Amino acid sequence: MKLPGPNPLPSLQGEATWLARLVEAMTPAEVAAVVAAFAHDLAGCLGAVVAWTGSGLPRACSSRGLVPDYAHIERARALLASNPRGPVHEGQELVLRLPPQERAFLILELERGQAPEPLLVRLEPFLALAGPYLQRALKLADLEDSHKQLVRSEVLQRALFAISDLAGSELDMPEMLRRLHGIVSTLMYAENFFIVRSDPQQGTMRFIYYADVEDTDAPDTSRDVPLESLRDSMTWHLLTGGKALMGSLDQIRRQVSGTFAPSGPESVDWLGVPMLRDGQVHGALVVQSYQAGIGFSEDDRALLEFVGSHVLTALERKQSKDELEERVRLRTQELAQANRGLQQEVLERQRAERLQAALFHLAQLATADIDESKFYERTHAVVGELINADNFFIALLSPDRKKLVFPYYVDAGVRKAQERPLGRGLSEYVLRSGRPLLAFHEDTLALARQGEVDLVRVGRPAECWLGVPLRVDEEAIGLVAVQSYTPSIDYDQADQELLTFAALQIANSIHRRRAAVSLQRAYAELELRVAERTAELRQEIAERERVQSQLQHEVMHDALTGLPNRGFLRDRLERVLAILQREPGRRCALLYLDVDRFKVINDSLGHLAGDAFLKEVARRLHDCVRDPDVVARLAGDEFAILLEDIDIPATAIAVAQRVLDALGVPMQIAGRELAPSASMGIAIGDGSYATADEVLRDADIALYRAKEQGRNRYELFDETLAKNVVDVLMMEGELRQALVRDEFEPYLQPFCRLEDGAVVGYEALLRWNHPKLGVLGPADFLRVAHDSGHIESIDWRLFERGCERFLGLDDQSTFLTFNVSALHLRHGDFDARLVRLLERTGLPPSRLIVEVTEGSLLDNPEQVRTMLERLRAIGVGAALDDFGTGYSSLSYLHSLPLRMLKIDRAFVHALGEEEHTTATTVVAAILALARALDIQVIAEGIETPAQCEALLEMGCELGQGYLLGHPAPVGEWLEQERDAD
């Protein structure tokens, strides 16, 4: 990494010229350039570097021929630290301090064999003159930086006071947002500025303020929109990512993950920060520039993030105030409405009593032993008790729903029965709309102008007409209506409500009377239908026998490919094995194959493409065999080929290779060219097999081995494969017994201070005290434990016993760590369960650190971050294990609540060896980054003194490895503590 600094100065002639140059130099860089140029022109000097500390950062200026970097500067600083009294000469390098001595020094590269004394004689007088100038320039630079910080702090304080004042002001929200824009403009360039509010629970967002000089298609600021409607935009990434984005489009594209689809005019520079509350994103502030030369810095980003939290508070206070005022207004209206409601209650109860009596009478009419004419007369009388019903009729739809039948019609005192085809009358309008209609004369004329009714069909116009549909099971069967021809008699909404209630009971009564008539008719039709049904059943039986024959074929064949299925294959294989029992010299072969990566095809191209793919695979497999060999589809992407008669196993192998070659030919599916492959297991059947399941089992074992060996290949079953399967099954049973017998034990490996070797903590490592094989490490059984589902129970046993054993150590200042796999982090209650374990064992949370790897964070990094935050809140720390080997280490460092990180052993092993500067640079960078983030660092896998010494020189404090201590039971560490005492 090259250090910042001006270009080397040319050589100057004459002491007066050097002094004049010093007088003209105003900045530390200018003074350092004069000193470096002076030193470089001395005889015997090949190059010079002046290094100093300014604004908290290391800086340097070099002469011609020498390019400094951080490693060079740090090495020179270490030489001076080892000899504080005077210049240090090592090899061809001479290092001496410059006034002020605590902040600057000079590095000279000498010619080979050049003694330092002649150069020091020339240098020291000049350096004595240059020192005050450098000290003055450093002080001026410090004052300028301090002044800039004070001015910026004052502007920020005024802005925050202004934002706070706006939150309590009487301004409406649009004016308040405009003034917020003005405040942000005082802090940075904000001509193009917008504010977004989001609701994490509802998944919505709104642009509540938007100002942009280039964007002519501004978003709607009056309503919320789904957050997904802006998916992959910069605003979407800002709200979902929860971290600031800054820079040009290309720079922001590198800051986000996934698809990136910006919208709107392209800006030269874009800066957006989220507004957070309790770790959740509730909005964002965004500024952007369309002018070259106008952009944003890291200071602007930090400033806008700080201002964003105050803006969010101001917006929430303003919103809460507006909501409170609205609630007061609504409550006042509710109280007034309640008062009016009490006044209406007496009237409503009186009307309810009349309505209840009328409904009771109507219900009695449904079962009364009266004819239809008397039924309608009494219905008319009951309705007349509720509302004026001088002019009243009931109309019903005919069975074919083409006519309107009036079984009861009274108009102007005259009763008549009639019917007519459906037309455009008011009655038909009610039936079409399915809703009650209250129409005055003007309303009827309006419906006529709209083409809904025909005035000719309406006939004599009524001053007021009220009709309600009669419904049975949500279907209109007719209507009941009343009408008035005099202005003094009209109807209102209360009358409409009464008639609606009555209509419900009238419709029910009509339906029940119709049902009784239909029931009688149904009894007469039942006998006829029984005879007809008997004839139909005879036909159905014949059809069922035909279908059963077809089903017999479908049951034994795959519906998609038409190939025989697993049942067919088992039957055929059983028959072949029976033949082999009678003829011991014969053999058969079963080829069990699984299409590689079929799930990827299904997920990427869809199930229709997957079906087409399987059909083509089936066709190619069928072309590779001859009769009577069988190709079957067993399930999903699994197929099998039964070769009924083979001479030697080589015949089956030849067929297997022919199948692999045929499948390897590319095919066109859904517009894509796919190159399929398959893994295949081969089992040779002979008289030793008793059942088809045994052959299928052995072929499946060989198939599993083929997948383990890399896919797109075949494996022939032998006894070695069978033994391996038995061993795995045996180990699964032993693992279950080990959990019951509590055979798992934590071994502790220490973390030590590299400076003095003192133990500061331990890592709990899993060991199995096998009753026959002795102590087993995780590598001997971890895969079987994971595949069998025992790994979580084993881990929790390790966690609990590790905490209990650790508490037995005398040193109470040490901490304990154990590894937490991705399997545990998928459970949302992992942290709660861990807290209960600590309470049960008595281990203080502050003494526990959980180690997670970068790979375990890939499933759901946000869930893991939230879980680690909750653990940190109670004192449990978190460590990032194997740092530097994962996918996104740097992003995890600033987003996760980490207490420490562990440098992977791959980098540590390379330290102390020749020509491994890459590992040294990486470790040094990790240490610098950790110090900047205030995270402890532990180096893993320290095995040699050279590695330990290299880490100490780079400033690493803690380490772990066999050089410092092997994993051992707790008892051994207790004995060491007693020996130390």
Side-chain angles (χ1 to χ4, degrees), residues 314-380:
L315 292 174
E316 289 177 344
R317 287 179 57 192
K318 180 65 175 176
Q319 184 177 0
S320 298
K321 180 181 178 183
D322 293 343
E323 289 175 352
L324 178 59
E325 292 176 351
E326 179 64 16
R327 286 198 297 271
V328 170
R329 185 185 65 82
L330 292 176
R331 183 56 180 163
T332 302
Q333 292 179 351
E334 289 173 359
L335 291 175
Q337 183 66 28
N339 185 42
R340 289 191 296 270
L342 290 174
Q343 295 174 0
Q344 288 290 109
E345 186 173 348
V346 175
L347 296 176
E348 292 293 336
R349 287 188 177 182
Q350 294 174 350
R351 189 177 66 162
E353 290 177 359
R354 290 192 293 113
L355 177 60
Q356 186 175 6
L359 295 179
F360 179 73
H361 293 156
L362 291 173
Q364 286 182 320
L365 292 177
T367 57
D369 187 13
I370 55 177
D371 59 19
E372 185 174 317
S373 176
K374 185 62 68 174
F375 167 77
Y376 286 119
E377 287 178 2
R378 293 187 183 181
T379 300
H380 182 191

Coordinates of all heavy atoms in Angstrom, one line a residue, residues 314-380:
A314 N -38.2 13.3 14.7 CA -39.1 14.5 14.5 C -40.4 14.1 13.7 O -41.5 14.5 14.0 CB -38.3 15.6 13.7
L315 N -40.2 13.2 12.7 CA -41.4 12.8 11.9 C -42.3 12.0 12.8 O -43.6 12.1 12.7 CB -40.9 11.9 10.7 CG -40.1 12.7 9.6 CD1 -39.6 11.7 8.6 CD2 -41.0 13.7 8.9
E316 N -41.8 11.1 13.6 CA -42.7 10.3 14.5 C -43.4 11.2 15.5 O -44.6 11.0 15.8 CB -41.8 9.3 15.2 CG -41.4 8.1 14.3 CD -40.5 7.1 15.0 OE1 -40.0 7.5 16.1 OE2 -40.2 6.1 14.4
R317 N -42.7 12.2 16.0 CA -43.4 13.1 17.0 C -44.5 13.9 16.3 O -45.6 14.1 16.8 CB -42.3 14.1 17.6 CG -41.4 13.5 18.6 CD -40.4 14.5 19.1 NE -41.1 15.6 19.7 CZ -40.4 16.8 20.0 NH1 -39.1 16.9 19.8 NH2 -41.1 17.8 20.5
K318 N -44.2 14.4 15.0 CA -45.2 15.1 14.3 C -46.4 14.2 14.0 O -47.6 14.6 14.1 CB -44.6 15.7 13.0 CG -45.5 16.5 12.1 CD -46.0 17.7 12.8 CE -46.8 18.6 11.9 NZ -47.4 19.8 12.6
Q319 N -46.1 13.0 13.5 CA -47.2 12.0 13.2 C -48.0 11.7 14.4 O -49.2 11.7 14.4 CB -46.6 10.8 12.6 CG -47.6 9.8 12.1 CD -47.0 8.6 11.5 OE1 -45.8 8.5 11.4 NE2 -47.8 7.6 11.0
S320 N -47.3 11.5 15.6 CA -48.1 11.2 16.8 C -49.0 12.4 17.2 O -50.1 12.2 17.7 CB -47.1 10.9 17.9 OG -46.3 9.7 17.6
K321 N -48.5 13.6 17.1 CA -49.3 14.7 17.4 C -50.5 14.8 16.5 O -51.6 15.1 17.0 CB -48.4 16.0 17.3 CG -49.2 17.3 17.6 CD -48.3 18.5 17.5 CE -49.0 19.8 17.8 NZ -48.2 21.0 17.5
D322 N -50.3 14.7 15.2 CA -51.5 14.7 14.3 C -52.5 13.6 14.6 O -53.7 13.8 14.5 CB -51.0 14.6 12.8 CG -50.1 15.8 12.4 OD1 -50.2 16.9 13.1 OD2 -49.4 15.7 11.4
E323 N -52.0 12.4 14.9 CA -52.9 11.3 15.2 C -53.7 11.6 16.5 O -54.8 11.2 16.6 CB -52.1 10.0 15.3 CG -51.5 9.5 14.0 CD -50.6 8.3 14.2 OE1 -50.3 7.9 15.3 OE2 -50.2 7.7 13.2
L324 N -53.0 12.2 17.5 CA -53.7 12.5 18.7 C -54.8 13.5 18.5 O -55.9 13.3 19.0 CB -52.7 13.1 19.8 CG -53.3 13.5 21.1 CD1 -54.0 12.3 21.8 CD2 -52.2 14.1 22.0
E325 N -54.6 14.5 17.7 CA -55.6 15.5 17.4 C -56.8 14.9 16.6 O -57.9 15.2 16.9 CB -55.0 16.7 16.6 CG -54.0 17.5 17.3 CD -53.4 18.6 16.4 OE1 -53.6 18.5 15.2 OE2 -52.7 19.4 17.0
E326 N -56.4 13.9 15.7 CA -57.5 13.3 15.0 C -58.3 12.4 15.9 O -59.5 12.3 15.8 CB -56.8 12.4 13.9 CG -57.8 11.6 13.0 CD -58.8 12.6 12.2 OE1 -58.5 13.8 12.1 OE2 -59.8 12.1 11.7
R327 N -57.6 11.7 16.9 CA -58.4 10.9 17.8 C -59.3 11.7 18.7 O -60.5 11.3 19.0 CB -57.4 10.1 18.7 CG -56.7 8.9 17.9 CD -56.1 7.9 18.9 NE -55.1 8.5 19.8 CZ -53.8 8.6 19.4 NH1 -53.4 8.0 18.3 NH2 -52.9 9.1 20.2
V328 N -58.9 12.9 19.1 CA -59.7 13.7 19.9 C -61.0 14.2 19.1 O -62.1 14.1 19.6 CB -58.9 15.0 20.4 CG1 -59.9 16.0 21.0 CG2 -57.9 14.5 21.4
R329 N -60.7 14.5 17.8 CA -61.9 14.9 17.0 C -62.9 13.8 16.8 O -64.1 14.0 16.9 CB -61.3 15.4 15.6 CG -62.4 16.0 14.7 CD -61.8 16.4 13.4 NE -61.4 15.2 12.6 CZ -62.2 14.4 12.0 NH1 -63.5 14.6 11.9 NH2 -61.7 13.3 11.3
L330 N -62.3 12.6 16.5 CA -63.2 11.5 16.3 C -64.0 11.1 17.5 O -65.1 10.7 17.5 CB -62.4 10.3 15.8 CG -61.8 10.4 14.4 CD1 -60.9 9.2 14.1 CD2 -62.8 10.6 13.3
R331 N -63.3 11.2 18.7 CA -64.0 10.8 20.0 C -65.1 11.8 20.2 O -66.2 11.4 20.7 CB -62.9 10.9 21.1 CG -63.5 10.5 22.5 CD -64.2 9.1 22.4 NE -64.7 8.7 23.7 CZ -65.6 7.7 23.8 NH1 -66.0 7.0 22.7 NH2 -66.0 7.4 25.0
T332 N -64.9 13.1 19.9 CA -66.0 14.0 20.1 C -67.2 13.7 19.2 O -68.3 13.8 19.7 CB -65.4 15.5 19.8 OG1 -64.3 15.7 20.6 CG2 -66.5 16.5 20.0
Q333 N -66.9 13.3 18.0 CA -68.0 12.9 17.1 C -68.7 11.7 17.6 O -69.9 11.6 17.5 CB -67.4 12.7 15.7 CG -66.9 13.9 15.0 CD -66.4 13.6 13.6 OE1 -66.2 12.4 13.2 NE2 -66.1 14.7 12.8
E334 N -67.9 10.7 18.2 CA -68.5 9.5 18.7 C -69.5 9.8 19.8 O -70.5 9.2 19.9 CB -67.4 8.5 19.1 CG -66.6 7.9 18.0 CD -65.4 7.1 18.4 OE1 -65.2 7.1 19.7 OE2 -64.7 6.6 17.6
L335 N -69.1 10.7 20.7 CA -69.9 11.0 21.9 C -71.2 11.7 21.4 O -72.3 11.4 21.9 CB -69.2 12.0 22.8 CG -68.0 11.3 23.6 CD1 -67.2 12.3 24.4 CD2 -68.5 10.2 24.5
A336 N -71.1 12.6 20.4 CA -72.3 13.2 19.9 C -73.2 12.2 19.2 O -74.4 12.2 19.4 CB -71.9 14.3 18.9
Q337 N -72.6 11.3 18.5 CA -73.4 10.3 17.8 C -74.0 9.3 18.8 O -75.2 8.9 18.7 CB -72.5 9.4 16.9 CG -73.2 8.3 16.1 CD -74.1 8.9 15.1 OE1 -73.9 10.0 14.6 NE2 -75.2 8.2 14.8
A338 N -73.3 9.0 19.9 CA -73.9 8.2 21.0 C -75.1 8.8 21.6 O -76.1 8.2 21.9 CB -72.9 7.9 22.1
N339 N -75.1 10.2 21.8 CA -76.2 10.9 22.3 C -77.4 10.8 21.4 O -78.6 10.5 21.9 CB -75.8 12.3 22.6 CG -77.0 13.1 23.3 OD1 -77.6 12.6 24.2 ND2 -77.2 14.3 22.9
R340 N -77.2 11.0 20.1 CA -78.3 10.8 19.2 C -78.8 9.4 19.1 O -80.0 9.2 19.0 CB -77.8 11.3 17.8 CG -77.6 12.8 17.7 CD -77.4 13.2 16.2 NE -76.2 12.6 15.6 CZ -75.0 13.1 15.6 NH1 -74.8 14.3 16.2 NH2 -74.0 12.5 15.1
G341 N -77.9 8.5 19.3 CA -78.3 7.1 19.3 C -79.2 6.7 20.4 O -80.2 5.9 20.3
L342 N -79.0 7.3 21.6 CA -79.8 7.0 22.8 C -81.2 7.5 22.5 O -82.2 6.9 22.9 CB -79.2 7.7 24.0 CG -77.9 7.0 24.5 CD1 -77.4 7.8 25.7 CD2 -78.2 5.6 25.0
Q343 N -81.3 8.7 21.8 CA -82.6 9.3 21.6 C -83.4 8.4 20.6 O -84.6 8.3 20.6 CB -82.5 10.7 21.0 CG -81.9 11.7 22.0 CD -81.6 13.0 21.4 OE1 -81.9 13.2 20.2 NE2 -81.0 13.9 22.1
Q344 N -82.6 7.7 19.7 CA -83.3 6.9 18.7 C -83.7 5.5 19.2 O -84.5 4.8 18.7 CB -82.4 6.7 17.5 CG -82.2 8.0 16.6 CD -83.5 8.3 15.9 OE1 -84.2 9.2 16.2 NE2 -83.8 7.4 14.9
E345 N -83.0 5.1 20.3 CA -83.2 3.8 20.8 C -84.6 3.5 21.2 O -85.2 2.3 20.9 CB -82.3 3.5 22.0 CG -82.3 2.1 22.5 CD -81.3 1.8 23.6 OE1 -80.4 2.7 23.8 OE2 -81.3 0.8 24.2
V346 N -85.3 4.4 21.8 CA -86.7 4.2 22.2 C -87.6 3.9 21.0 O -88.4 3.0 21.0 CB -87.2 5.4 23.1 CG1 -88.7 5.2 23.4 CG2 -86.4 5.5 24.4
L347 N -87.4 4.8 20.0 CA -88.2 4.6 18.8 C -87.9 3.3 18.1 O -88.8 2.6 17.6 CB -87.9 5.8 17.8 CG -88.3 7.2 18.3 CD1 -87.9 8.2 17.2 CD2 -89.8 7.3 18.5
E348 N -86.6 2.9 18.1 CA -86.2 1.6 17.5 C -86.8 0.4 18.2 O -87.2 -0.5 17.6 CB -84.7 1.5 17.5 CG -84.0 2.5 16.5 CD -84.3 2.2 15.1 OE1 -84.6 1.1 14.8 OE2 -84.2 3.1 14.3
R349 N -86.9 0.5 19.5 CA -87.4 -0.6 20.3 C -88.9 -0.8 20.0 O -89.4 -1.9 19.9 CB -87.2 -0.4 21.8 CG -85.8 -0.6 22.2 CD -85.6 -0.6 23.7 NE -84.2 -0.8 24.1 CZ -83.8 -0.9 25.3 NH1 -84.7 -0.7 26.3 NH2 -82.6 -1.1 25.6
Q350 N -89.6 0.4 19.9 CA -91.0 0.3 19.6 C -91.2 -0.3 18.2 O -92.1 -1.1 18.0 CB -91.6 1.7 19.6 CG -91.7 2.3 21.0 CD -92.2 3.7 21.1 OE1 -92.3 4.4 20.0 NE2 -92.4 4.3 22.3
R351 N -90.4 0.1 17.3 CA -90.6 -0.4 15.9 C -90.2 -1.9 15.9 O -90.8 -2.7 15.2 CB -89.7 0.4 14.9 CG -89.9 0.0 13.5 CD -89.1 0.8 12.6 NE -87.7 0.5 12.7 CZ -86.8 0.8 11.8 NH1 -87.1 1.5 10.7 NH2 -85.5 0.5 12.0
A352 N -89.2 -2.3 16.7 CA -88.8 -3.7 16.7 C -89.9 -4.6 17.3 O -90.1 -5.7 16.8 CB -87.5 -3.8 17.6
E353 N -90.7 -4.1 18.2 CA -91.8 -4.9 18.8 C -92.8 -5.1 17.7 O -93.3 -6.3 17.5 CB -92.4 -4.2 20.0 CG -91.5 -4.1 21.2 CD -92.2 -3.4 22.3 OE1 -93.3 -2.9 22.1 OE2 -91.5 -3.3 23.4
R354 N -93.1 -4.1 16.9 CA -94.1 -4.2 15.8 C -93.6 -5.2 14.8 O -94.3 -6.0 14.2 CB -94.4 -2.9 15.2 CG -95.3 -2.0 16.1 CD -95.8 -0.8 15.4 NE -94.8 0.1 14.9 CZ -94.5 0.3 13.7 NH1 -95.1 -0.3 12.7 NH2 -93.5 1.2 13.3
L355 N -92.3 -5.1 14.5 CA -91.7 -5.9 13.5 C -91.6 -7.4 13.9 O -91.9 -8.3 13.2 CB -90.2 -5.4 13.2 CG -89.4 -6.3 12.2 CD1 -90.1 -6.3 10.8 CD2 -88.0 -5.7 12.0
Q356 N -91.3 -7.6 15.2 CA -91.3 -9.0 15.7 C -92.6 -9.6 15.6 O -92.7 -10.8 15.3 CB -90.7 -8.9 17.2 CG -90.5 -10.3 17.7 CD -89.9 -10.3 19.1 OE1 -89.7 -9.2 19.7 NE2 -89.5 -11.4 19.7
A357 N -93.6 -8.9 16.0 CA -95.0 -9.5 15.9 C -95.4 -9.8 14.5 O -96.0 -10.9 14.2 CB -96.0 -8.5 16.5
A358 N -95.0 -8.9 13.5 CA -95.3 -9.2 12.1 C -94.6 -10.4 11.6 O -95.2 -11.2 10.9 CB -95.0 -7.9 11.3
L359 N -93.3 -10.5 12.0 CA -92.5 -11.7 11.5 C -93.1 -13.0 12.1 O -93.1 -14.0 11.4 CB -91.0 -11.5 11.9 CG -90.3 -10.3 11.2 CD1 -88.9 -10.2 11.7 CD2 -90.3 -10.5 9.7
F360 N -93.5 -12.9 13.3 CA -94.1 -14.1 13.9 C -95.4 -14.5 13.2 O -95.6 -15.7 12.9 CB -94.4 -13.8 15.4 CG -95.1 -15.0 16.1 CD1 -94.4 -16.1 16.4 CD2 -96.5 -15.0 16.4 CE1 -95.0 -17.2 17.1 CE2 -97.1 -16.0 17.0 CZ -96.3 -17.1 17.4
H361 N -96.2 -13.6 12.8 CA -97.4 -13.9 12.0 C -97.1 -14.5 10.6 O -97.7 -15.4 10.2 CB -98.3 -12.7 11.9 CG -98.9 -12.2 13.2 ND1 -99.3 -10.9 13.4 CD2 -99.1 -12.9 14.3 CE1 -99.8 -10.8 14.6 NE2 -99.7 -12.0 15.2
L362 N -96.1 -13.9 10.0 CA -95.7 -14.4 8.7 C -95.1 -15.8 8.8 O -95.3 -16.6 7.9 CB -94.6 -13.4 8.1 CG -95.1 -12.0 7.6 CD1 -94.0 -11.2 7.2 CD2 -96.1 -12.2 6.5
A363 N -94.4 -16.1 9.9 CA -93.8 -17.4 10.0 C -94.9 -18.4 10.2 O -94.9 -19.6 9.7 CB -92.9 -17.5 11.2
Q364 N -96.0 -18.1 10.9 CA -97.2 -19.0 11.1 C -97.8 -19.3 9.8 O -98.3 -20.4 9.6 CB -98.2 -18.4 12.1 CG -97.7 -18.4 13.5 CD -98.8 -17.8 14.5 OE1 -99.4 -16.8 14.1 NE2 -99.0 -18.4 15.6
L365 N -97.8 -18.3 8.9 CA -98.5 -18.5 7.6 C -97.9 -19.6 6.8 O -98.5 -20.2 5.9 CB -98.6 -17.2 6.8 CG -99.5 -16.1 7.4 CD1 -99.3 -14.8 6.5 CD2 -100.9 -16.5 7.4
A366 N -96.5 -19.8 7.0 CA -95.8 -20.8 6.2 C -96.4 -22.2 6.4 O -96.4 -23.0 5.5 CB -94.3 -20.8 6.6
T367 N -96.9 -22.5 7.6 CA -97.4 -23.9 7.9 C -98.9 -23.9 8.1 O -99.5 -24.9 8.4 CB -96.7 -24.4 9.2 OG1 -96.9 -23.5 10.3 CG2 -95.2 -24.5 8.9
A368 N -99.5 -22.7 7.9 CA -101.0 -22.7 8.1 C -101.7 -23.5 7.0 O -101.3 -23.5 5.8 CB -101.5 -21.2 8.0
D369 N -102.8 -24.1 7.4 CA -103.6 -25.0 6.4 C -104.6 -24.1 5.7 O -105.8 -24.1 6.0 CB -104.3 -26.1 7.2 CG -104.9 -27.1 6.3 OD1 -104.6 -27.0 5.0 OD2 -105.7 -27.9 6.7
I370 N -104.1 -23.3 4.8 CA -104.9 -22.4 4.0 C -104.5 -22.4 2.6 O -103.4 -22.9 2.3 CB -104.8 -20.9 4.5 CG1 -103.3 -20.5 4.6 CG2 -105.4 -20.8 5.9 CD1 -103.1 -19.0 5.0
D371 N -105.4 -22.0 1.7 CA -105.0 -22.0 0.3 C -104.1 -20.9 -0.1 O -103.9 -20.0 0.7 CB -106.3 -22.1 -0.6 CG -107.2 -20.9 -0.4 OD1 -106.7 -19.8 0.1 OD2 -108.3 -20.9 -0.8
E372 N -103.7 -20.8 -1.3 CA -102.7 -19.8 -1.7 C -103.3 -18.4 -1.7 O -102.7 -17.5 -1.3 CB -102.2 -20.1 -3.2 CG -101.1 -19.2 -3.6 CD -100.5 -19.6 -5.0 OE1 -100.3 -20.8 -5.2 OE2 -100.3 -18.8 -5.8
S373 N -104.6 -18.3 -2.1 CA -105.2 -17.0 -2.1 C -105.3 -16.4 -0.7 O -105.0 -15.2 -0.5 CB -106.6 -17.1 -2.7 OG -107.3 -15.8 -2.7
K374 N -105.7 -17.2 0.3 CA -105.8 -16.8 1.6 C -104.4 -16.4 2.2 O -104.3 -15.5 3.0 CB -106.5 -17.8 2.5 CG -106.8 -17.4 3.9 CD -107.8 -16.2 3.9 CE -109.2 -16.7 3.5 NZ -110.2 -15.6 3.6
F375 N -103.4 -17.2 1.8 CA -102.1 -16.9 2.3 C -101.6 -15.5 1.9 O -101.1 -14.8 2.7 CB -101.1 -18.0 1.7 CG -99.7 -17.7 1.8 CD1 -99.0 -17.8 3.0 CD2 -98.9 -17.2 0.7 CE1 -97.7 -17.5 3.2 CE2 -97.6 -16.8 0.9 CZ -96.9 -17.0 2.1
Y376 N -101.8 -15.1 0.6 CA -101.4 -13.8 0.2 C -102.2 -12.7 0.8 O -101.7 -11.6 1.1 CB -101.4 -13.8 -1.4 CG -100.3 -14.6 -2.0 CD1 -100.7 -15.6 -2.9 CD2 -99.0 -14.3 -1.8 CE1 -99.7 -16.4 -3.5 CE2 -98.0 -15.0 -2.4 CZ -98.3 -16.1 -3.3 OH -97.3 -16.8 -3.8
E377 N -103.5 -12.9 1.0 CA -104.3 -11.9 1.7 C -103.8 -11.6 3.1 O -103.7 -10.5 3.5 CB -105.8 -12.4 1.7 CG -106.5 -12.4 0.4 CD -107.9 -12.9 0.5 OE1 -108.3 -13.2 1.7 OE2 -108.6 -12.9 -0.5
R378 N -103.5 -12.7 3.8 CA -103.0 -12.5 5.2 C -101.6 -11.8 5.2 O -101.3 -11.0 6.1 CB -103.0 -13.8 6.0 CG -104.4 -14.3 6.2 CD -104.4 -15.5 7.1 NE -105.7 -16.1 7.3 CZ -106.0 -17.2 8.1 NH1 -105.0 -17.8 8.7 NH2 -107.2 -17.6 8.2
T379 N -100.8 -12.2 4.2 CA -99.5 -11.6 4.1 C -99.7 -10.1 3.9 O -98.9 -9.3 4.5 CB -98.7 -12.2 3.0 OG1 -98.5 -13.6 3.2 CG2 -97.4 -11.6 2.8
H380 N -100.6 -9.7 3.0 CA -100.9 -8.3 2.7 C -101.3 -7.6 4.0 O -100.8 -6.5 4.3 CB -102.0 -8.2 1.7 CG -102.3 -6.7 1.3 ND1 -103.4 -6.4 0.5 CD2 -101.6 -5.6 1.6 CE1 -103.4 -5.1 0.3 NE2 -102.4 -4.6 1.0

